[in-house]
PDB file of all heavy atoms in Angstrom:
ATOM      1  N   LEU A   1    -200.651   1.325  27.092  1.00 95.00           N
ATOM      2  CA  LEU A   1    -199.867   1.067  25.905  1.00 95.00           C
ATOM      3  C   LEU A   1    -200.700   1.167  24.626  1.00 95.00           C
ATOM      4  O   LEU A   1    -200.311   1.842  23.643  1.00 95.00           O
ATOM      5  CB  LEU A   1    -199.187  -0.320  25.979  1.00 95.00           C
ATOM      6  CG  LEU A   1    -198.257  -0.714  24.825  1.00 95.00           C
ATOM      7  CD1 LEU A   1    -197.106   0.288  24.841  1.00 95.00           C
ATOM      8  CD2 LEU A   1    -197.701  -2.108  25.086  1.00 95.00           C
ATOM      9  N   ALA A   2    -201.898   0.635  24.643  1.00 96.00           N
ATOM     10  CA  ALA A   2    -202.788   0.732  23.452  1.00 96.00           C
ATOM     11  C   ALA A   2    -203.266   2.189  23.302  1.00 96.00           C
ATOM     12  O   ALA A   2    -203.355   2.684  22.165  1.00 96.00           O
ATOM     13  CB  ALA A   2    -204.021  -0.157  23.618  1.00 96.00           C
ATOM     14  N   ALA A   3    -203.497   2.811  24.427  1.00 93.00           N
ATOM     15  CA  ALA A   3    -203.944   4.251  24.347  1.00 93.00           C
ATOM     16  C   ALA A   3    -202.901   5.138  23.758  1.00 93.00           C
ATOM     17  O   ALA A   3    -203.119   6.064  22.971  1.00 93.00           O
ATOM     18  CB  ALA A   3    -204.407   4.816  25.706  1.00 93.00           C
ATOM     19  N   ALA A   4    -201.634   4.906  24.138  1.00 95.00           N
ATOM     20  CA  ALA A   4    -200.489   5.634  23.665  1.00 95.00           C
ATOM     21  C   ALA A   4    -200.378   5.468  22.075  1.00 95.00           C
ATOM     22  O   ALA A   4    -200.219   6.465  21.308  1.00 95.00           O
ATOM     23  CB  ALA A   4    -199.234   5.216  24.293  1.00 95.00           C
ATOM     24  N   HIS A   5    -200.566   4.231  21.643  1.00 96.00           N
ATOM     25  CA  HIS A   5    -200.513   3.977  20.220  1.00 96.00           C
ATOM     26  C   HIS A   5    -201.618   4.696  19.468  1.00 96.00           C
ATOM     27  O   HIS A   5    -201.385   5.295  18.428  1.00 96.00           O
ATOM     28  CB  HIS A   5    -200.708   2.476  19.989  1.00 96.00           C
ATOM     29  CG  HIS A   5    -200.633   2.086  18.510  1.00 96.00           C
ATOM     30  ND1 HIS A   5    -199.525   2.124  17.753  1.00 96.00           N
ATOM     31  CD2 HIS A   5    -201.640   1.618  17.765  1.00 96.00           C
ATOM     32  CE1 HIS A   5    -199.808   1.762  16.521  1.00 96.00           C
ATOM     33  NE2 HIS A   5    -201.089   1.456  16.493  1.00 96.00           N
ATOM     34  N   THR A   6    -202.833   4.695  20.017  1.00 95.00           N
ATOM     35  CA  THR A   6    -203.978   5.345  19.422  1.00 95.00           C
ATOM     36  C   THR A   6    -203.847   6.817  19.385  1.00 95.00           C
ATOM     37  O   THR A   6    -204.181   7.512  18.451  1.00 95.00           O
ATOM     38  CB  THR A   6    -205.293   4.902  20.058  1.00 95.00           C
ATOM     39  OG1 THR A   6    -205.419   3.439  20.026  1.00 95.00           O
ATOM     40  CG2 THR A   6    -206.509   5.494  19.346  1.00 95.00           C
ATOM     41  N   LEU A   7    -203.317   7.389  20.513  1.00 94.00           N
ATOM     42  CA  LEU A   7    -202.995   8.809  20.554  1.00 94.00           C
ATOM     43  C   LEU A   7    -202.040   9.232  19.501  1.00 94.00           C
ATOM     44  O   LEU A   7    -202.228  10.312  18.793  1.00 94.00           O
ATOM     45  CB  LEU A   7    -202.427   9.200  21.923  1.00 94.00           C
ATOM     46  CG  LEU A   7    -203.430   9.292  23.072  1.00 94.00           C
ATOM     47  CD1 LEU A   7    -202.720   9.322  24.401  1.00 94.00           C
ATOM     48  CD2 LEU A   7    -204.363  10.499  22.936  1.00 94.00           C
ATOM     49  N   GLN A   8    -201.010   8.389  19.264  1.00 96.00           N
ATOM     50  CA  GLN A   8    -200.031   8.699  18.208  1.00 96.00           C
ATOM     51  C   GLN A   8    -200.723   8.720  16.812  1.00 96.00           C
ATOM     52  O   GLN A   8    -200.505   9.634  16.022  1.00 96.00           O
ATOM     53  CB  GLN A   8    -198.925   7.621  18.243  1.00 96.00           C
ATOM     54  CG  GLN A   8    -197.820   7.853  17.215  1.00 96.00           C
ATOM     55  CD  GLN A   8    -196.832   8.984  17.521  1.00 96.00           C
ATOM     56  OE1 GLN A   8    -196.575   9.242  18.602  1.00 96.00           O
ATOM     57  NE2 GLN A   8    -196.440   9.666  16.453  1.00 96.00           N
ATOM     58  N   LEU A   9    -201.513   7.667  16.571  1.00 94.00           N
ATOM     59  CA  LEU A   9    -202.226   7.610  15.289  1.00 94.00           C
ATOM     60  C   LEU A   9    -203.147   8.896  15.076  1.00 94.00           C
ATOM     61  O   LEU A   9    -203.230   9.421  13.971  1.00 94.00           O
ATOM     62  CB  LEU A   9    -203.109   6.304  15.178  1.00 94.00           C
ATOM     63  CG  LEU A   9    -202.378   5.035  15.146  1.00 94.00           C
ATOM     64  CD1 LEU A   9    -203.307   3.856  15.180  1.00 94.00           C
ATOM     65  CD2 LEU A   9    -201.491   5.032  13.893  1.00 94.00           C
ATOM     66  N   LEU A  10    -203.868   9.180  16.129  1.00 92.00           N
ATOM     67  CA  LEU A  10    -204.777  10.330  16.035  1.00 92.00           C
ATOM     68  C   LEU A  10    -203.973  11.646  15.859  1.00 92.00           C
ATOM     69  O   LEU A  10    -204.425  12.518  15.118  1.00 92.00           O
ATOM     70  CB  LEU A  10    -205.638  10.472  17.288  1.00 92.00           C
ATOM     71  CG  LEU A  10    -206.807   9.451  17.365  1.00 92.00           C
ATOM     72  CD1 LEU A  10    -207.319   9.299  18.752  1.00 92.00           C
ATOM     73  CD2 LEU A  10    -207.852   9.706  16.363  1.00 92.00           C
ATOM     74  N   GLY A  11    -202.853  11.779  16.534  1.00 93.00           N
ATOM     75  CA  GLY A  11    -201.985  12.952  16.369  1.00 93.00           C
ATOM     76  C   GLY A  11    -201.526  13.153  14.924  1.00 93.00           C
ATOM     77  O   GLY A  11    -201.590  14.198  14.354  1.00 93.00           O
ATOM     78  N   GLU A  12    -201.121  11.976  14.319  1.00 94.00           N
ATOM     79  CA  GLU A  12    -200.688  12.017  12.989  1.00 94.00           C
ATOM     80  C   GLU A  12    -201.841  12.313  12.012  1.00 94.00           C
ATOM     81  O   GLU A  12    -201.676  13.141  11.098  1.00 94.00           O
ATOM     82  CB  GLU A  12    -200.016  10.648  12.609  1.00 94.00           C
ATOM     83  CG  GLU A  12    -198.758  10.448  13.310  1.00 94.00           C
ATOM     84  CD  GLU A  12    -198.272   8.963  13.185  1.00 94.00           C
ATOM     85  OE1 GLU A  12    -198.900   8.108  12.565  1.00 94.00           O
ATOM     86  OE2 GLU A  12    -197.216   8.624  13.798  1.00 94.00           O
ATOM     87  N   GLU A  13    -202.993  11.802  12.310  1.00 90.00           N
ATOM     88  CA  GLU A  13    -204.189  12.071  11.496  1.00 90.00           C
ATOM     89  C   GLU A  13    -204.605  13.505  11.599  1.00 90.00           C
ATOM     90  O   GLU A  13    -204.891  14.147  10.598  1.00 90.00           O
ATOM     91  CB  GLU A  13    -205.316  11.173  11.918  1.00 90.00           C
ATOM     92  CG  GLU A  13    -206.592  11.321  11.076  1.00 90.00           C
ATOM     93  CD  GLU A  13    -207.679  10.276  11.357  1.00 90.00           C
ATOM     94  OE1 GLU A  13    -207.412   9.449  12.251  1.00 90.00           O
ATOM     95  OE2 GLU A  13    -208.763  10.486  10.835  1.00 90.00           O
ATOM     96  N   ALA A  14    -204.552  14.093  12.818  1.00 89.00           N
ATOM     97  CA  ALA A  14    -204.853  15.510  12.927  1.00 89.00           C
ATOM     98  C   ALA A  14    -203.940  16.380  12.136  1.00 89.00           C
ATOM     99  O   ALA A  14    -204.351  17.336  11.438  1.00 89.00           O
ATOM    100  CB  ALA A  14    -204.849  15.934  14.428  1.00 89.00           C
ATOM    101  N   SER A  15    -202.655  16.076  12.191  1.00 91.00           N
ATOM    102  CA  SER A  15    -201.631  16.841  11.422  1.00 91.00           C
ATOM    103  C   SER A  15    -201.921  16.727   9.900  1.00 91.00           C
ATOM    104  O   SER A  15    -201.829  17.730   9.230  1.00 91.00           O
ATOM    105  CB  SER A  15    -200.260  16.367  11.813  1.00 91.00           C
ATOM    106  OG  SER A  15    -199.960  16.614  13.139  1.00 91.00           O
ATOM    107  N   ARG A  16    -202.171  15.562   9.444  1.00 90.00           N
ATOM    108  CA  ARG A  16    -202.475  15.327   7.993  1.00 90.00           C
ATOM    109  C   ARG A  16    -203.784  16.170   7.634  1.00 90.00           C
ATOM    110  O   ARG A  16    -203.782  16.766   6.530  1.00 90.00           O
ATOM    111  CB  ARG A  16    -202.706  13.907   7.658  1.00 90.00           C
ATOM    112  CG  ARG A  16    -201.385  13.191   7.436  1.00 90.00           C
ATOM    113  CD  ARG A  16    -201.606  11.760   6.813  1.00 90.00           C
ATOM    114  NE  ARG A  16    -202.594  10.927   7.623  1.00 90.00           N
ATOM    115  CZ  ARG A  16    -202.249  10.201   8.611  1.00 90.00           C
ATOM    116  NH1 ARG A  16    -201.013  10.173   9.007  1.00 90.00           N
ATOM    117  NH2 ARG A  16    -203.181   9.435   9.245  1.00 90.00           N
ATOM    118  N   SER A  17    -204.777  16.125   8.481  1.00 87.00           N
ATOM    119  CA  SER A  17    -206.030  16.766   8.213  1.00 87.00           C
ATOM    120  C   SER A  17    -205.845  18.277   8.161  1.00 87.00           C
ATOM    121  O   SER A  17    -206.527  18.971   7.380  1.00 87.00           O
ATOM    122  CB  SER A  17    -207.082  16.416   9.252  1.00 87.00           C
ATOM    123  OG  SER A  17    -207.409  15.076   9.249  1.00 87.00           O
ATOM    124  N   ALA A  18    -204.880  18.823   8.895  1.00 87.00           N
ATOM    125  CA  ALA A  18    -204.706  20.218   8.932  1.00 87.00           C
ATOM    126  C   ALA A  18    -203.806  20.794   7.842  1.00 87.00           C
ATOM    127  O   ALA A  18    -203.680  21.985   7.654  1.00 87.00           O
ATOM    128  CB  ALA A  18    -204.088  20.580  10.294  1.00 87.00           C
ATOM    129  N   ALA A  19    -203.120  19.851   7.153  1.00 89.00           N
ATOM    130  CA  ALA A  19    -202.120  20.222   6.157  1.00 89.00           C
ATOM    131  C   ALA A  19    -202.599  21.282   5.096  1.00 89.00           C
ATOM    132  O   ALA A  19    -201.838  22.224   4.780  1.00 89.00           O
ATOM    133  CB  ALA A  19    -201.625  19.036   5.413  1.00 89.00           C
ATOM    134  N   ASN A  20    -203.855  21.191   4.638  1.00 87.00           N
ATOM    135  CA  ASN A  20    -204.287  22.116   3.673  1.00 87.00           C
ATOM    136  C   ASN A  20    -205.272  23.207   4.228  1.00 87.00           C
ATOM    137  O   ASN A  20    -205.942  23.799   3.418  1.00 87.00           O
ATOM    138  CB  ASN A  20    -204.965  21.361   2.513  1.00 87.00           C
ATOM    139  CG  ASN A  20    -203.947  20.524   1.772  1.00 87.00           C
ATOM    140  OD1 ASN A  20    -202.876  20.984   1.527  1.00 87.00           O
ATOM    141  ND2 ASN A  20    -204.340  19.308   1.473  1.00 87.00           N
ATOM    142  N   LEU A  21    -205.385  23.279   5.535  1.00 84.00           N
ATOM    143  CA  LEU A  21    -206.225  24.232   6.151  1.00 84.00           C
ATOM    144  C   LEU A  21    -205.377  25.408   6.613  1.00 84.00           C
ATOM    145  O   LEU A  21    -204.442  25.265   7.433  1.00 84.00           O
ATOM    146  CB  LEU A  21    -206.958  23.631   7.359  1.00 84.00           C
ATOM    147  CG  LEU A  21    -207.910  22.437   7.041  1.00 84.00           C
ATOM    148  CD1 LEU A  21    -208.449  21.873   8.311  1.00 84.00           C
ATOM    149  CD2 LEU A  21    -208.984  22.878   6.111  1.00 84.00           C
ATOM    150  N   HIS A  22    -205.719  26.609   6.135  1.00 82.00           N
ATOM    151  CA  HIS A  22    -204.917  27.777   6.415  1.00 82.00           C
ATOM    152  C   HIS A  22    -205.778  28.839   7.087  1.00 82.00           C
ATOM    153  O   HIS A  22    -205.953  29.944   6.612  1.00 82.00           O
ATOM    154  CB  HIS A  22    -204.300  28.366   5.192  1.00 82.00           C
ATOM    155  CG  HIS A  22    -203.471  27.316   4.458  1.00 82.00           C
ATOM    156  ND1 HIS A  22    -202.254  26.873   4.908  1.00 82.00           N
ATOM    157  CD2 HIS A  22    -203.674  26.640   3.293  1.00 82.00           C
ATOM    158  CE1 HIS A  22    -201.764  25.921   4.039  1.00 82.00           C
ATOM    159  NE2 HIS A  22    -202.614  25.805   3.123  1.00 82.00           N
ATOM    160  N   ASP A  23    -206.448  28.397   8.202  1.00 86.00           N
ATOM    161  CA  ASP A  23    -207.307  29.295   8.928  1.00 86.00           C
ATOM    162  C   ASP A  23    -207.172  28.951  10.399  1.00 86.00           C
ATOM    163  O   ASP A  23    -206.331  28.136  10.796  1.00 86.00           O
ATOM    164  CB  ASP A  23    -208.770  29.134   8.479  1.00 86.00           C
ATOM    165  CG  ASP A  23    -209.246  27.663   8.537  1.00 86.00           C
ATOM    166  OD1 ASP A  23    -208.588  26.849   9.158  1.00 86.00           O
ATOM    167  OD2 ASP A  23    -210.390  27.416   8.047  1.00 86.00           O
ATOM    168  N   GLY A  24    -208.021  29.590  11.242  1.00 88.00           N
ATOM    169  CA  GLY A  24    -207.962  29.362  12.696  1.00 88.00           C
ATOM    170  C   GLY A  24    -208.176  27.905  13.059  1.00 88.00           C
ATOM    171  O   GLY A  24    -207.516  27.331  13.915  1.00 88.00           O
ATOM    172  N   PHE A  25    -209.093  27.220  12.349  1.00 85.00           N
ATOM    173  CA  PHE A  25    -209.388  25.840  12.604  1.00 85.00           C
ATOM    174  C   PHE A  25    -208.162  24.966  12.258  1.00 85.00           C
ATOM    175  O   PHE A  25    -207.739  24.071  13.030  1.00 85.00           O
ATOM    176  CB  PHE A  25    -210.614  25.275  11.877  1.00 85.00           C
ATOM    177  CG  PHE A  25    -210.971  23.872  12.241  1.00 85.00           C
ATOM    178  CD1 PHE A  25    -211.492  23.639  13.466  1.00 85.00           C
ATOM    179  CD2 PHE A  25    -210.722  22.910  11.354  1.00 85.00           C
ATOM    180  CE1 PHE A  25    -211.894  22.345  13.803  1.00 85.00           C
ATOM    181  CE2 PHE A  25    -211.025  21.561  11.720  1.00 85.00           C
ATOM    182  CZ  PHE A  25    -211.549  21.297  12.936  1.00 85.00           C
ATOM    183  N   GLY A  26    -207.503  25.289  11.130  1.00 88.00           N
ATOM    184  CA  GLY A  26    -206.284  24.519  10.760  1.00 88.00           C
ATOM    185  C   GLY A  26    -205.223  24.696  11.817  1.00 88.00           C
ATOM    186  O   GLY A  26    -204.514  23.750  12.196  1.00 88.00           O
ATOM    187  N   ASP A  27    -205.022  25.908  12.326  1.00 92.00           N
ATOM    188  CA  ASP A  27    -204.047  26.152  13.334  1.00 92.00           C
ATOM    189  C   ASP A  27    -204.348  25.335  14.602  1.00 92.00           C
ATOM    190  O   ASP A  27    -203.454  24.677  15.176  1.00 92.00           O
ATOM    191  CB  ASP A  27    -204.043  27.607  13.715  1.00 92.00           C
ATOM    192  CG  ASP A  27    -203.497  28.524  12.644  1.00 92.00           C
ATOM    193  OD1 ASP A  27    -202.874  28.035  11.694  1.00 92.00           O
ATOM    194  OD2 ASP A  27    -203.731  29.728  12.693  1.00 92.00           O
ATOM    195  N   GLN A  28    -205.588  25.248  15.017  1.00 91.00           N
ATOM    196  CA  GLN A  28    -205.950  24.530  16.203  1.00 91.00           C
ATOM    197  C   GLN A  28    -205.903  23.019  15.990  1.00 91.00           C
ATOM    198  O   GLN A  28    -205.487  22.250  16.871  1.00 91.00           O
ATOM    199  CB  GLN A  28    -207.420  24.882  16.668  1.00 91.00           C
ATOM    200  CG  GLN A  28    -207.465  26.246  17.236  1.00 91.00           C
ATOM    201  CD  GLN A  28    -206.515  26.556  18.335  1.00 91.00           C
ATOM    202  OE1 GLN A  28    -206.323  25.664  19.211  1.00 91.00           O
ATOM    203  NE2 GLN A  28    -205.792  27.683  18.312  1.00 91.00           N
TER     204      GLN A  28
END
């Protein structure tokens, strides 16, 4: 349960971090 919550937070953080990246790293 705690891992699922943390995975969700990390997924959202990854998406936010990629928002302004328009290259191969941003895609990944």
